[in-house]
C-alpha cells in the first residue's frame, strides 16, 4: 500500500528544515567583537580589552610586545629572591605575590584570545624569563638576589 509521506495525519511528515545560523562553530558574536573558540593567526584580534589592538598591524605588534614583557615580569617576580631573602615584612611579600598572580591571570586571559601570536610570545616570554631569572646557569648573575 502506497502512503504519501507528506500528507498530514499520516505520521510520515518530515521535520521542518533547521534554522539557519549565520555564525559558524568557531565564532560567536558578543557585542561588537568576534570571539574565536579555536586558535587563529591574524593581526585582527582583540586581546584583553574591547577593540584592542584592533586591525592595525602596529597596534598588534605593540600588544605582542606588552604581553611578552608581562610574561617576563611574571617570571622575574616568581624567581626573584629579593623579596623573599630581604627581611621585608609579610605584607610586602603578600603584595608582590598578589601582583604576580594578577599578572599571571592577565596573561592567561590574553592566551584565551586564541591568537597564535599571543600564545607564542607568552611561551617565549616565560621561557626567556625562566632562563634569565630562574635557571641555575644564570643564578650567579641573577640581578634580583639579595
Amino acid at each position: 500500500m502506497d502512503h504519501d509521506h507528506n500528507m498530514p495525519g499520516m505520521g510520515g511528515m518530515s521535520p521542518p528544515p533547521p534554522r539557519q545560523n549565520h555564525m559558524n562553530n568557531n565564532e560567536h558574536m558578543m557585542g561588537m567583537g568576534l570571539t574565536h573558540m579555536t586558535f587563529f593567526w591574524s593581526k585582527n584580534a582583540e586581546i584583553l580589552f574591547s577593540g584592542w589592538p584592533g586591525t592595525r598591524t602596529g597596534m598588534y605588534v605593540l600588544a605582542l610586545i606588552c604581553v611578552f614583557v608581562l610574561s617576563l615580569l611574571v617570571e622575574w617576580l616568581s624567581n626573584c629572591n629579593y623579596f623573599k631573602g630581604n627581611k621585608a615584612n609579610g605584607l610586602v611579600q603578600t603584595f608582590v605575590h598578589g601582583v604576580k598572580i594578577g599578572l599571571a591571570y592577565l596573561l592567561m586571559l590574553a592566551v584565551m584570545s586564541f591568537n597564535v601570536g599571543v600564545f607564542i610570545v607568552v611561551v617565549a616570554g616565560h621561557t626567556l624569563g625562566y632562563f634569565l631569572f630562574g635557571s641555575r646557569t644564570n643564578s650567579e648573575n641573577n640581578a634580583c638576589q639579595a
Side-chain angles (χ1 to χ4, degrees):
M1 179 172 194
D2 269 343
H3 291 286
D4 187 0
H5 291 288
N6 291 327
M7 290 182 58
M10 298 302 286
M13 290 187 63
S14 60
R19 293 178 23 173
Q20 294 295 324
N21 188 352
H22 296 289
M23 295 178 283
N24 67 27
N25 291 336
N26 295 336
E27 300 171 342
H28 180 69
M29 293 297 267
M30 295 188 63
M32 296 186 306
L34 200 57
T35 303
H36 292 266
M37 299 307 288
T38 58
F39 276 115
F40 70 101
W41 188 281
S42 174
K43 67 175 180 62
N44 301 335
E46 285 188 346
I47 304 167
L48 298 176
F49 304 105
S50 179
W52 187 73
T55 58
R56 297 188 324 232
T57 303
M59 291 302 290
Y60 179 69
V61 170
L62 178 64
L64 294 180
I65 291 169
C66 289
V67 169
F68 182 80
V69 169
L70 282 178
S71 61
L72 279 174
L73 184 59
V74 167
E75 284 299 319
W76 178 73
L77 289 172
S78 296
N79 294 294
C80 187
N81 294 326
Y82 178 74
F83 301 109
K84 297 171 190 161
N86 194 348
K87 302 240 189 257
N89 62 21
L91 188 59
V92 172
Q93 292 175 3
T94 302
F95 176 76
V96 170
H97 178 74
V99 169
K100 177 186 71 170
I101 295 301
L103 292 175
Y105 276 118
L106 199 62
L107 287 170
M108 178 200 64
L109 291 173
V111 168
M112 288 176 60
S113 70
F114 288 98
N115 185 284
V116 175
V118 172
F119 178 76
I120 289 171
V121 298
V122 166
V123 171
H126 278 295
T127 303
L128 180 62
Y130 180 79
F131 176 75
L132 294 175
F133 309 119
S135 70
R136 293 179 188 249
T137 59
N138 279 339
S139 63
E140 59 274 355
N141 296 331
N142 195 340
C144 65
Q145 282 187 352

